[in-house]
Amino acid sequence: MATDDNMRVRPLKDVIRNFTPAWFAAIMGTGSISLLFHAFPYGNETQTFIIFTFIFFFLNLTLFILFCAITITRYIMFPDIWGLMIRHPAQSLFTGTFPMGACTLLSIAVSLISEKYRLGGKAFLYAMWGLWWLDVAISIICCWGMVHIMETSQKHSLQSMTAVWLLPVVTLIVASSTGGVISSVLQEYDPGYALFTQISSVFLVSIGLSLALMLLTIYIQRLIIIGVPQGGNVLSVFLPLGPTGQAGYSILLAGQYFKEALPLRHGGSTFMNDPSTGNILYVVCICGAFILWALASMWMLFALLAVCDELRKTHIPFRVNTWGLIFPNGVYANLTIALGSTFDSPFFRIWGAIYAVFTLLLWSFVAVKTVQLVHNRSIFEAPCLQELNLTEGVTDRKNCLSPRGSVCSTSTPRTI
């Protein structure tokens, strides 16, 4: 996609205007690497692994703050872009990457900083808990809001469908897994709050997983009837690993929590006070997590076959959406490692370690390629603006879209 505009350095204002929500997929991917260093089955308690966990955590935190600042600046300078973005049938779906990226930061902050090193004590944990509830609220808005907008304000078809449709609903699943991490640590300080947090997490994962499975049913129909998405969109075939892998991990955490927290030994609920309830829920959750791991493994094989087939035909272009590869593979590796610990299985531990290394190598490739394209600023592209033909050469461009200005032309956005 090299053009004369891309060959020269683009002004900073143009970079800000073309900074899309898809960039927060890089936060999700980098966060998943931090989580993998923390959970790695071999040597994760050594100083080296802890240092790398912190390196990726603070790198991710820095990027998150930077991306938030650029995003806020974008919509202050160009308020009309928000409407264009939210009505775009593909770009709008990436709004869900914001709360999911934040969840990766909260998970490490709680499991490592708060639980392991006790930094900040109870006040820090409660602050993270409050931020989690804020993230839950944003995730609910992204899920219900975007699905409603897809139904009422956008045009979609089976022909144009990709697994990106999953992004708004996966927000609930990712938030639920972070809730599972928080509830296990919060149990020490306030069992009542911990139980409420875990039950809320089960509520979230139940809705998110149900919607995801519905969409995956439509998606497999699309793949069989129409075929695998072409070009850069073929990489979206890895996205189903996200809801299946992360839901499995969330359900596994729920089972571990209920095993330790139940029975309650107070109140009038026979179910919550029965001595066998915790163990029964633990077994059910482990079985559910394993089924979802198997489902994720199936999608992983489908994705590898699809990408290999596309690579034999043509070159796959690199875009910021390529960051969507990292998080799904990362959560699949994380679930595999967690099952290895649960089953005390060498197979799961070894396979999880191998896949974690694969994900780290994938992150390294995408990160290096991104830095190269950020240097010449050619990676900054907003599909909703391109479809309005807003380029440097358009006459009276400032009248069409300027800071605090308005859009002077409209068109029906094509689906990407």
Side-chain angles (χ1 to χ4, degrees):
M1 297 180 62
T3 64
D4 292 338
D5 290 332
N6 289 334
M7 295 304 293
R8 66 173 183 268
V9 177
R10 299 164 68 181
L12 180 60
K13 187 173 73 173
D14 196 50
V15 169
I16 295 173
R17 182 169 52 243
N18 285 275
F19 192 87
T20 67
W23 276 97
F24 284 93
I27 304 297
M28 295 173 61
T30 305
S32 70
I33 298 299
S34 180
L35 292 169
L36 286 178
F37 271 109
H38 181 58
F40 200 76
Y42 304 105
N44 66 325
E45 294 293 333
T46 63
Q47 196 69 19
T48 300
F49 273 83
I50 293 174
I51 289 174
F52 272 105
T53 301
F54 274 118
I55 288 174
F56 276 94
F57 170 76
F58 284 110
L59 170 64
N60 206 31
L61 180 61
T62 302
L63 291 175
F64 182 76
I65 294 173
L66 176 63
F67 289 0
C68 285
I70 296 175
T71 299
I72 293 171
T73 303
R74 183 194 196 207
Y75 295 121
I76 290 177
M77 293 179 64
F78 310 101
D80 295 293
I81 291 181
W82 173 260
L84 295 174
M85 182 275 295
I86 210 68
R87 290 189 297 271
H88 193 276
Q91 189 181 351
S92 60
L93 305 182
F94 284 91
T95 53
T97 59
F98 171 78
M100 289 190 283
C103 276
T104 63
L105 291 167
L106 292 175
S107 293
I108 289 295
V110 172
S111 61
L112 188 60
I113 297 177
S114 178
E115 182 179 22
K116 183 176 179 63
Y117 290 102
R118 302 285 179 173
L119 295 179
K122 184 177 179 180
F124 179 79
L125 177 60
Y126 273 73
M128 296 301 101
W129 187 50
L131 289 176
W132 177 75
W133 280 111
L134 176 61
D135 191 274
V136 168
I138 297 173
S139 298
I140 289 174
I141 293 172
C142 285
C143 178
W144 269 276
M146 279 312 308
V147 172
H148 175 73
I149 290 173
M150 291 173 70
E151 295 171 345
T152 59
S153 302
Q154 297 175 352
K155 292 183 178 181
H156 295 276
S157 66
L158 194 64
Q159 177 85 30
S160 62
M161 182 193 188
T162 68
V164 175
W165 282 21
L166 292 166
L167 289 178
V169 304
V170 180
T171 55
L172 300 183
I173 299 174
V174 175
S176 73
S177 64
T178 303
V181 172
I182 293 175
S183 63
S184 63
V185 182
L186 193 60
Q187 178 72 14
E188 177 185 344
Y189 298 96
D190 194 315
Y193 285 163
L195 179 62
F196 182 69
T197 300
Q198 187 58 71
I199 292 176
S200 300
S201 297
V202 172
F203 170 79
L204 293 172
V205 74
S206 299
I207 295 175
L209 180 60
S210 298
L211 286 171
L213 292 176
M214 295 175 196
L215 291 174
L216 286 175
T217 302
I218 302 172
Y219 186 56
I220 193 69
Q221 179 188 24
R222 182 251 194 264
L223 294 179
I224 293 173
I225 295 176
I226 299 174
V228 174
Q230 303 298 307
N233 288 333
V234 70
L235 298 178
S236 67
V237 294
F238 278 99
L239 291 182
L241 273 70
T244 50
Q246 193 71 353
Y249 182 65
S250 177
I251 291 172
L252 189 62
L253 289 177
Q256 293 170 352
Y257 170 82
F258 288 130
K259 184 176 183 293
E260 298 297 326
L262 299 180
L264 290 181
R265 306 186 191 283
H266 63 79
S269 172
T270 303
F271 176 77
M272 300 298 282
N273 285 279
D274 192 296
S276 62
T277 298
N279 288 326
I280 291 173
L281 290 177
Y282 179 59
V283 172
V284 170
C285 288
I286 288 177
C287 292
F290 177 77
I291 291 171
L292 287 169
W293 175 85
L295 188 60
S297 300
M298 178 198 75
W299 281 108
M300 180 265 293
L301 291 173
F302 280 156
L304 289 175
L305 291 172
V307 171
C308 290
D309 183 70
E310 185 68 16
L311 285 173
R312 284 197 298 266
K313 298 175 183 177
T314 184
H315 171 73
I316 298 177
F318 187 94
R319 300 180 301 188
V320 66
N321 297 5
T322 307
W323 275 101
L325 282 171
I326 312 301
F327 183 79
N329 286 288
V331 298
Y332 172 73
N334 194 43
L335 174 59
T336 305
I337 293 170
L339 288 175
S341 177
T342 300
F343 294 139
D344 192 21
S345 167
F347 166 77
F348 279 98
R349 280 196 291 266
I350 293 172
W351 176 237
I354 292 173
Y355 211 85
V357 172
F358 164 75
T359 306
L360 175 60
L361 294 175
L362 192 61
W363 180 91
S364 301
F365 167 77
V366 175
V368 170
K369 187 68 175 178
T370 300
V371 170
Q372 293 174 347
L373 295 178
V374 166
H375 180 69
N376 60 29
R377 302 183 179 180
S378 61
I379 197 173
F380 298 100
E381 298 175 347
C384 65
L385 301 186
Q386 293 177 343
E387 289 163 10
L388 288 172
N389 199 28
L390 294 177
T391 62
E392 292 289 343
V394 172
T395 306
D396 295 329
R397 181 184 180 194
K398 293 183 179 180
N399 293 328
C400 289
L401 184 60
S402 58
R404 295 290 183 183
S406 60
V407 179
C408 66
S409 63
T410 60
S411 64
T412 302
R414 60 179 173 83
T415 304
I416 295 181

